[in-house]
């Protein structure tokens, strides 16, 4: 039987994404796994979209493993920001491996290049898992600047973004950034369970 | 078609006239779209541009991409190398998708090793006299004329000047080179090798004079971000255009060659 929490999260995400180009999701670490499962299920139900999954909190091969059995990820694009920096040297035709999570300009370029290469009839959705993890490798003002540029670029190409943000990694600056730049914020509270 | 795409097409058509100069000087399109947009269409045709950077900054790749993009638009080009042997240069370029061997076979991109030319002319390859330097300049000019090239690259002006014996000879050679390039009418890129610079110690050339014959300076460098080097590009000068002088981030990939994007500047 499907977990009620995951089902609830999935519905909130689906409703938010339907009307808002950029959606931020703030959640406690305890609910991180539930949220990613809800996102995978949402991706499974909207396979007509071009998904670009940016792995920041964990490497691509872990994300891919977690997707197994929930969603067929063979048509998705992945950008792994952390494997190379962690000394994990693997290659996969489905994934672009960034040398370092501090190469934020290159991250924007790679996302934009994937979108440009797509059939314009299908909507592109960029999932940042998790934007808050970028603060581990970059100054928070730089992350804010990155996020602003990314969202501006996504607006240009009519692409959507879903940005995950772990409550434990949040700073005041991150909080301001998420609320100011995103069109919609979903705040997941432990009391929601 | 979305507005942003219309603008890109407008630039890549290469038909835009140079509004800054208020005359009919057309642009030489580099093919690196955001750079052409920053320059208002491209490099004004006939300009000589110094491409400055330290080792590994992407000078040769930039120049080769410029030549191949030109060849694909029907503009013949010549690449004079004095720093790398031909086989090494072409082998490196084979890693890039923009590189097309057929353009070389068809004579649209010509790569010439200046050391071989010097050798055939009976010049001392290691040190040039005044006469040697003049003879070499004449040969460069003859080759460019004969091939009817629209784009020319000398990689590098630093290595060429290194072979001259005195500062006076270097000055004389550079000024003669400047007049020759101006009379040829083709758009030229001259690479200039500099050591990695410290903040506040910026120089665009080894001999401090190369930049004075150039109509433009494109500076390739790196910034250090927590131990990671981020490639950057900056158009310092480009006569005949109203251009941005902001530093931008640069990426080099085998799929797309050189790409540029806004540099994130915030510091904590």
């Amino acid at each position: 039987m499907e977990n009620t929490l995951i089902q609830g999260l999935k519905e909130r995400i689906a409703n938010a994404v339907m009307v808002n180009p950029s959606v931020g999701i703030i959640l406690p670490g305890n609910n991180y796994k539930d949220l990613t499962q809800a996102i995978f299920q949402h991706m499974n139900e909207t396979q007509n979209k071009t998904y670009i999954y940016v792995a920041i909190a964990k490497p691509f091969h872990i994300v891919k493993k977690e997707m197994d059995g929930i969603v067929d990820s063979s048509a998705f694009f992945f950008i792994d920001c952390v494997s190379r920096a962690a000394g994990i040297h693997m290659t996969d035709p489905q994934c672009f491996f960034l040398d370092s999570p501090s190469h934020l300009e290159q991250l924007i370029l790679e996302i934009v290049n994937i979108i440009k290469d797509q059939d314009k009839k299908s909507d592109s959705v960029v999932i940042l898992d998790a934007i808050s993890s970028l603060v581990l490798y970059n100054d928070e003002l730089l992350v804010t600047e990155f996020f602003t540029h990314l969202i501006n670029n996504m607006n240009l190409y009519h692409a959507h973004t879903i940005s995950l943000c772990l409550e434990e990694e949040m700073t005041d600056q991150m909080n301001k950034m998420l609320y100011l730049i995103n069109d919609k914020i979903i705040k997941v509270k432990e009391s929601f369970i | 078609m979305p507005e942003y795409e219309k603008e890109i097409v407008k630039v890549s058509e290469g038909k835009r006239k140079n509004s800054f100069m208020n005359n009919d000087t057309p642009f030489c399109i580099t093919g690196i779209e955001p750079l052409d947009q920053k320059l208002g269409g491209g490099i004004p045709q006939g300009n000589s541009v110094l491409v400055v950077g330290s080792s590994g900054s992407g000078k040769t790749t930039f120049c080769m991409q410029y030549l191949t993009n030109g060849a694909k638009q029907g503009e013949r080009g010549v690449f004079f190398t004095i720093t790398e042997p031909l086989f090494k240069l072409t082998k490196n370029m084979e890693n890039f998708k923009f590189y097309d061997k057929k353009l070389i076979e068809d004579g649209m991109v010509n790569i010439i090793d200046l050391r071989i030319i010097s050798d055939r002319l009976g010049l001392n390859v290691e040190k040039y006299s005044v006469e040697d330097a003049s003879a070499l300049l004449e040969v460069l000019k003859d080759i460019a004329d004969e091939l009817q090239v629209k784009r020319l690259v000398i990689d590098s002006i630093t290595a060429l000047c290194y072979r001259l014996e005195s500062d006076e000879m270097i000055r004389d050679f550079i000024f003669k080179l400047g007049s020759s390039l101006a009379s040829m009418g083709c758009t030229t890129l001259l690479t200039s090798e500099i050591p990695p610079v410290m903040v506040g110690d910026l120089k665009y050339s080894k001999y401090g004079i190369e930049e004075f014959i150039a109509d433009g300076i494109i500076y390739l460098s790196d910034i250090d971000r927590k131990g990671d080097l981020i490639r950057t590009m900056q158009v310092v000068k480009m006569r005949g255009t109203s251009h941005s002088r902001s530093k931008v981030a640069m990426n080099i990939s085998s799929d797309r060659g050189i790409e540029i994007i806004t540099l994130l500047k915030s510091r904590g």
Side-chain angles (χ1 to χ4, degrees), chain A residues 100 102-106 108-110 113-114 116-117 120 137-139 141-142 145-146 149 156-157, chain B residues 2 4-5 8 33 225-226 228-230 249 251 253 256 259-268:
Chain A
S100 160
S102 69
H103 289 184
L104 298 174
E105 293 89 348
Q106 193 184 358
I108 299 176
L109 265 178
E110 297 303 335
N113 284 338
I114 293 171
K116 274 174 157 176
D117 287 346
K120 288 189 175 70
Y137 312 96
N138 299 281
D139 296 318
L141 277 175
L142 197 72
E145 196 184 352
F146 157 77
H149 282 294
L156 189 65
Y157 293 99
Chain B
Y4 67 88
E5 286 194 352
I8 291 168
E33 275 175 2
R225 186 179 290 160
K226 296 198 171 184
D228 290 319
L229 291 179
I230 312 288
N251 186 46
S253 67
R256 298 170 197 270
E259 296 174 288
I260 58 170
I261 188 167
T262 308
L263 178 71
L264 304 178
K265 294 180 175 110
S266 298
R267 281 163 204 265

Side-chain angles (χ1 to χ4, degrees), chain B residues 181-200:
Chain B
L181 293 175
S183 67
M184 277 189 241
C186 54
T187 313
T188 305
L189 300 187
L190 305 161
T191 68
S192 167
E193 300 161 33
I194 53 163
V197 287
M198 305 293 289
V199 177

Side-chain angles (χ1 to χ4, degrees), chain A residues 53-169:
Chain A
Y53 201 98
V54 184
I56 308 163
K58 56 198 167 198
F60 154 72
H61 69 274
I62 306 272
V63 176
K64 183 106 167 136
K65 209 171 153 187
E66 286 175 356
M67 282 182 171
D68 283 349
I70 304 173
V71 56
D72 173 15
S73 59
S74 58
F76 299 161
F77 295 91
F78 291 89
I79 300 176
D80 181 328
C81 298
V82 286
S83 287
R84 292 269 163 90
I88 306 165
H89 284 275
M90 60 189 316
T91 55
D92 190 296
Q94 211 183 340
C95 181
F96 178 84
F97 292 87
L98 214 62
D99 279 340
S100 160
S102 69
H103 289 184
L104 298 174
E105 293 89 348
Q106 193 184 358
L107 179 54
I108 299 176
L109 265 178
E110 297 303 335
I111 293 171
V112 168
N113 284 338
I114 293 171
I115 294 171
K116 274 174 157 176
D117 287 346
Q118 296 315 301
D119 171 10
K120 288 189 175 70
K121 282 174 193 161
S122 77
D123 289 337
S124 297
V125 182
V126 180
I127 297 172
L128 296 161
D129 174 14
I131 181 94
S132 54
S133 301
L134 282 177
V135 181
L136 302 174
Y137 312 96
N138 299 281
D139 296 318
E140 54 184 2
L141 277 175
L142 197 72
V143 176
T144 307
E145 196 184 352
F146 157 77
F147 195 53
T148 310
H149 282 294
L150 179 70
I151 297 294
N152 287 340
N153 272 279
M154 295 303 97
N155 287 339
L156 189 65
Y157 293 99
H158 309 294
H160 287 241
T161 54
I162 301 174
S163 316
L164 277 59
C165 195
L166 290 166
E167 215 168 65
E168 291 82 354
E169 289 175 336

Side-chain angles (χ1 to χ4, degrees), chain B residues 25 46 67 97 124 167 169 199 259:
Chain B
T25 307
L67 280 191
K97 271 194 185 158
N124 178 354
D167 285 355
M169 276 177 68
V199 177
E259 296 174 288

Side-chain angles (χ1 to χ4, degrees), chain B residues 71-133:
Chain B
K72 285 170 191 169
Q73 295 164 41
E75 293 184 5
R76 188 173 282 129
V78 62
F79 189 104
F80 291 108
T81 176
I82 197 162
T83 50
E84 273 186 290
L86 290 182
F87 76 92
K88 215 171 159 185
L89 181 69
T90 49
K91 195 167 181 286
N92 286 339
M93 286 303 132
E94 278 165 11
N95 295 320
F96 292 100
K97 271 194 185 158
F98 68 75
Y99 178 78
D100 184 354
K101 208 174 171 185
K102 201 168 177 300
L103 293 173
I104 294 184
E105 289 164 358
D106 292 348
M108 289 305 288
V109 174
N110 302 274
I111 306 177
I112 295 171
D113 190 333
L114 277 178
R115 283 169 299 192
I116 295 174
I117 299 273
S118 305
D119 195 38
R120 287 191 186 158
L121 287 171
L123 311 179
N124 178 354
V125 182
E126 297 306 317
K127 282 284 168 208
Y128 295 144
S129 65
V130 178
E131 294 76 24
D132 291 347

